[in-house]
């Protein structure tokens, strides 16, 4: 889980796991990406770079991403 706004220590106390940092987020690829908030910061993330391959799933719960580019 990545969230630039959340406090990792607080999340770990409350939910039992730490957040990953932005460096870890950007240096990994994922089979599924769930965008659960509509913070402006997430609108600028290169979602394609996070996907492990063309079959990776992106679930945009808040409809925050621009779908007109044909990537989603």
């Amino acid at each position: 889980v990545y969230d630039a706004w959340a406090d990792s220590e607080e999340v770990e106390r409350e939910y039992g796991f730490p957040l990953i940092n932005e460096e870890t987020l950007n240096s990994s690829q994922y089979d599924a990406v769930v965008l659960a908030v509509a913070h402006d910061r997430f609108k600028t993330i290169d979602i394609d770079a996070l996907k492990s391959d063309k079959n990776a799933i992106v679930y945009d719960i808040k409809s925050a991403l621009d779908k007109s580019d044909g990537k989603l």
Side-chain angles (χ1 to χ4, degrees), residues 6-47:
D7 180 281
S8 187
E9 290 177 6
E10 184 177 336
V11 169
E12 188 163 9
R13 273 193 313 275
E14 185 72 24
Y15 301 106
F17 60 86
L19 298 174
I20 64 171
N21 60 31
E22 189 167 358
E23 181 179 330
T24 301
L25 173 73
N26 291 324
S27 65
S28 301
Q29 291 189 313
Y30 306 91
D31 294 329
V33 175
V34 178
L35 183 61
V37 295
H39 302 319
D40 287 339
R41 170 66 190 105
F42 293 108
K43 294 176 186 176
T44 62
I45 289 177
D46 183 358
I47 297 295

Side-chain angles (χ1 to χ4, degrees), residues 43-72:
K43 294 176 186 176
T44 62
I45 289 177
D46 183 358
I47 297 295
D48 264 354
L50 298 177
K51 295 172 15 179
S52 60
D53 61 33
K54 67 177 183 154
N55 295 316
I57 296 170
V58 177
Y59 191 64
D60 181 8
I61 293 172
K62 299 294 186 177
S63 297
L65 301 175
D66 181 9
K67 291 156 191 67
S68 66
D69 63 7
K71 293 181 179 181
L72 299 177

